[in-house]
Amino acid sequence: MTNTEAALTQAHTRVVDTLAEMIRRDAGALSADKRIVDDLGLDSTSILELLMKLEDEFGVEFDPDTFEPRHFETIGTLTEYVAGQAEEQE
């Protein structure tokens, strides 16, 4: 496993744990392909709340200008976005 893969795996675990706590679901049931809006029922307000929690979890500040709808399609795309933002701010 490369450092990038390891970092993405670690980021995925942290994103899933944060999301599971927020929506009160078992983290084991939240796979990378779960759709954030369609499968989990988050709306724009919930997504913003999740982003604030992830900022705290990762110790980063997301730039709203970088948000695109594709980042919030699935847990996997959100993880990639969060990991990328965290890496840029290291």
Side-chain angles (χ1 to χ4, degrees), residues 36-51:
I36 293 173
V37 174
D38 294 337
D39 295 336
L40 303 177
L42 273 70
D43 58 16
S44 59
T45 303
S46 300
I47 290 171
L48 289 175
E49 179 183 348
L50 174 60
L51 285 172

Side-chain angles (χ1 to χ4, degrees), residues 75-87:
I75 293 174
T77 59
L78 178 60
T79 297
E80 290 171 7
Y81 171 76
V82 170
Q85 291 295 304
E87 185 177 317

Side-chain angles (χ1 to χ4, degrees), residues 45-90:
T45 303
S46 300
I47 290 171
L48 289 175
E49 179 183 348
L50 174 60
L51 285 172
M52 289 188 300
K53 290 179 182 293
L54 291 171
E55 284 180 333
D56 291 343
E57 172 66 28
F58 285 84
V60 299
E61 189 171 316
F62 301 124
D63 180 354
D65 293 335
T66 65
F67 299 159
E68 295 180 22
R70 65 184 173 90
H71 295 134
F72 306 102
E73 289 177 7
T74 66
I75 293 174
T77 59
L78 178 60
T79 297
E80 290 171 7
Y81 171 76
V82 170
Q85 291 295 304
E87 185 177 317
E88 285 181 17
Q89 295 181 36
E90 283 184 349

